[in-house]
Amino acid sequence: MKKAIVLGAMLMGSSIWAQTVGGDRDAHGCIGSAGYTYSQIKKDCVRVFEQKIKLTEVEPKGSSTSMTAVIFSKDMKKAEIFIPDTDGESLILTRVGKGKIWKKDDYVLVPFKKGEYQLKKDNVVIYQ
C-alpha cells in the first residue's frame, strides 16, 4: 500500500513538473523562458540576442539598457525589429523605394556605419 502511494505521488509530481517546464509556450510554440520569440520573417522561433544585427538603446529610461535585433527578409524588402514598445510583438518595416530605408508608422531604420543601423522613432534615434 505504501509503495502504491509513493509511486502515485511520484507520478503526479513528474506530471506537474512536465507541465511546468516549457509551459510558457506562446501561440507559435516559442518558449519565452528560454529566450525565444517568434520571428514573422523567419517563420520560426528565434533568440533576439543571438541575431547578427543587434542595436543598443541610445538613451535608456532606467538603470538598464535594452537591445533589439534586426532580421531582414531574403530580398531585403522587409526588416523585422523586436522592441519593448510593441507589446512583445515584432514590428515589420517595409523598404521605401530602392534605397536602404525601411519604414512603418513613426519608425524608420537606416544604415548608420558600415554594417550598422539606426532605428528612429519620430525622427529621434532610439537604437543604434
Side-chain angles (χ1 to χ4, degrees):
M1 177 73 166
K2 287 183 181 179
K3 286 183 181 179
I5 292 172
V6 171
L7 183 59
M10 287 174 54
L11 288 173
M12 278 184 43
S14 65
S15 173
I16 292 168
W17 182 80
Q19 291 173 357
T20 305
V21 174
D24 64 331
R25 290 182 187 270
D26 66 12
H28 302 284
C30 303
I31 302 172
S33 62
Y36 288 96
T37 189
Y38 186 72
S39 166
Q40 298 177 60
I41 285 182
K42 289 191 172 188
K43 304 277 188 246
D44 199 3
C45 301
V46 298
R47 287 181 165 166
V48 174
F49 56 88
E50 290 180 342
Q51 300 309 304
K52 262 181 147 175
I53 303 171
K54 295 184 222 56
L55 309 177
T56 306
E57 190 175 18
V58 173
E59 292 186 27
K61 296 172 183 69
S63 60
S64 63
T65 302
S66 67
M67 59 86 59
T68 187
V70 180
I71 297 175
F72 288 106
S73 60
K74 288 181 182 180
D75 61 5
M76 298 293 287
K77 289 183 179 180
K78 300 209 180 279
E80 183 173 19
I81 57 173
F82 304 82
I83 54 174
D85 296 351
T86 57
D87 296 325
E89 292 289 322
S90 61
L91 191 62
I92 302 292
L93 287 73
T94 305
R95 189 172 71 200
V96 178
K98 293 183 180 182
K100 291 192 176 186
I101 296 174
W102 295 263
K103 288 185 177 184
K104 176 167 175 117
D105 302 327
D106 300 335
Y107 292 96
V108 179
L109 181 69
V110 296
F112 174 53
K113 295 179 182 175
K114 186 174 181 162
E116 296 182 21
Y117 295 86
Q118 285 183 331
L119 179 63
K120 300 178 182 182
K121 183 176 181 186
D122 296 322
N123 211 27
V124 175
V125 177
I126 56 173
Y127 287 88
Q128 70 180 25

